[in-house]
C-alpha cells in the first residue's frame, strides 16, 4: 500500500447504519456522516438520505459494480485503506450493527494492519429491530428469557442444532432463507416440536415489509407459497405468538401471553 500522499493522516469510522430506517441511525452515526469526506456503503445500509446526511462526502457504492457484481471483501478493504492513506475521513457505512455478521471486524483489522486510526459506532441490529417492526419481542417474561442470533449462511451443525433445541429459547436467524429447509428439518430431528411458531420478516422497515407466520412443520410450504426472499429475519420461538398482525386483537394477544405464562 502507498504511503500517505497528504500531510494530515486519515481515519476510518465504521458506522452501523441500522436496519434501513433513517430514524434508527444513532446520533453518533449522523455526526460521523456529517463530517465524512468519503462514504463507502453497501446494499443493506440506509442509503436513501445519504446525500443529505453526508453532504460533503464522495459516496461510493461498494455493494455493486456497473455489471451488478459485488466488489470482493478484499477490494473493499483496499478501498477503505487507500482513501484513509490519502488523508480522508472515511466512513464505512454498514447495515445494522457493524460487528454482527457484517465482516466489520475484518475491516477494522485491515485498518490496524496499515496503522490507520479506526473507531466503530454500533448500530441497531436487524436481528432485534426487524422482529420488533413485525411486533415480535425476542424475550417475554414467562415465555423466553434468552435469544440466540445465528447465521444461516451455512447449514448449522448437529451439535449447534442440538444446543439450540436444549436451550429452548428464542432463535433468530439472519441470512437464513436459503438454508430454511435444512434448519427446519434439523430442529425437528433434534426434537423441537412441529408446533413451534416461526416468523419470517422480509425487507424490514421498507414499504414492502412482509411477515409470514407458520410453525416449524408448515413454514417451508408457506415460505414457498409466498415466494419468501432475502433479506429476511427468521424468528423461531413462542414469542412469535405475540406478533401483532392486524387480524389479532389486543385481547387475543394478552390472553395468548397469559395462557403461556400460566402453563410454563
Ligand atoms: N450487520 C447486519 C447484518 C448483516 S447480515 C445487522 O446487524 O443487521 C445480512 C442479513 O441481515 C440479511 O440477510 C438479513 O437476514 C438481515 N437483514 C438486514 N437488514 C434487514 C432488513 N431491513 N430486513 C430484513 N432482514 C434484514
Amino acid at each position: 500500500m502507498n504511503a500517505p500522499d497528504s500531510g494530515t493522516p486519515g481515519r476510518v469510522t465504521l458506522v452501523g447504519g441500522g436496519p434501513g430506517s433513517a430514524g434508527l441511525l444513532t446520533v453518533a452515526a449522523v455526526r460521523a456522516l456529517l463530517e465524512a469526506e468519503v462514504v463507502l456503503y453497501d446494499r443493506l445500509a440506509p442509503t436513501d438520505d445519504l446525500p443529505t446526511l453526508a453532504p460533503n462526502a464522495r459516496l461510493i457504492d461498494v455493494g455493486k459494480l456497473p455489471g451488478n457484481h459485488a466488489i470482493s471483501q478484499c477490494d473493499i478493504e483496499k478501498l477503505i485503506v487507500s482513501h484513509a492513506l490519502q488523508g480522508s475521513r472515511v466512513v464505512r457505512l454498514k447495515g445494522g450493527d457493524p460487528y454482527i455478521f457484517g465482516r466489520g471486524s475484518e475491516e477494522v483489522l485491515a485498518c490496524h494492519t496499515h496503522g490507520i486510526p479506526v473507531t466503530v459506532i454500533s448500530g441497531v441490529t436487524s436481528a432485534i429491530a426487524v422482529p420488533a417492526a413485525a411486533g415480535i419481542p425476542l424475550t417475554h417474561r414467562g415465555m423466553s428469557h434468552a435469544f440466540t442470533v445465528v447465521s444461516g449462511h451455512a447449514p448449522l451443525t448437529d451439535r449447534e442444532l442440538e444446543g439450540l433445541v436444549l436451550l429452548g429459547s428464542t432463535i433468530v436467524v439472519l441470512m437464513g432463507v436459503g438454508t430454511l429447509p435444512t434448519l427446519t428439518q434439523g430442529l425437528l430431528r433434534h426434537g423441537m416440536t412441529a408446533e413451534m411458531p416461526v416468523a419470517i420478516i422480509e425487507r424490514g422497515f421498507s414499504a414492502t415489509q412482509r411477515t409470514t407466520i407458520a410453525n416449524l412443520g408448515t413454514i417451508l410450504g408457506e415460505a414457498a407459497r409466498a415466494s419468501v426472499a432475502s433479506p429476511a429475519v427468521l424468528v423461531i420461538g413462542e414469542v412469535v405468538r405475540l406478533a401483532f398482525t392486524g387480524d389479532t386483537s389486543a385481547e387475543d394477544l394478552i390472553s395468548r401471553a397469559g395462557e403461556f405464562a400460566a402453563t410454563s
Side-chain angles (χ1 to χ4, degrees), residues 98-173:
Y99 276 171
I100 304 293
F101 305 139
R103 304 191 76 169
S105 48
E106 295 167 43
E107 294 169 10
V108 167
L109 284 177
C111 292
H112 287 321
T113 306
H114 290 86
I116 297 163
V118 55
T119 49
V120 176
I121 296 175
S122 298
V124 174
T125 180
S126 64
I128 297 172
V130 169
I136 303 173
L138 298 188
T139 68
H140 186 83
R141 195 157 56 94
M143 227 182 221
S144 177
H145 63 191
F147 62 91
T148 307
V149 181
V150 298
S151 163
H153 183 65
L156 298 183
T157 64
D158 276 317
R159 271 175 74 83
E160 288 168 332
L161 290 162
E162 190 186 0
L164 287 172
V165 174
L166 282 173
L167 201 54
S169 50
T170 309
I171 303 167
V172 180
V173 189

Side-chain angles (χ1 to χ4, degrees), residues 178-244:
T179 49
L180 186 64
T182 53
L183 179 70
T184 51
Q185 285 151 20
L187 291 171
L188 288 167
R189 193 170 66 246
H190 285 277
M192 187 176 279
T193 168
E195 306 304 316
M196 185 61 80
V198 181
I200 304 178
I201 308 112
E202 300 166 83
R203 301 176 296 275
F205 296 94
S206 75
T208 60
Q209 175 177 319
R210 178 174 70 162
T211 307
T212 303
I213 294 184
N215 63 39
L216 197 58
T218 57
I219 190 69
L220 255 190
E222 291 300 321
R225 199 187 337 270
S227 302
V228 161
S230 189
V233 174
L234 279 60
V235 184
I236 303 167
E238 297 293 349
V239 288
V240 170
R241 294 188 201 283
L242 299 177
F244 186 76

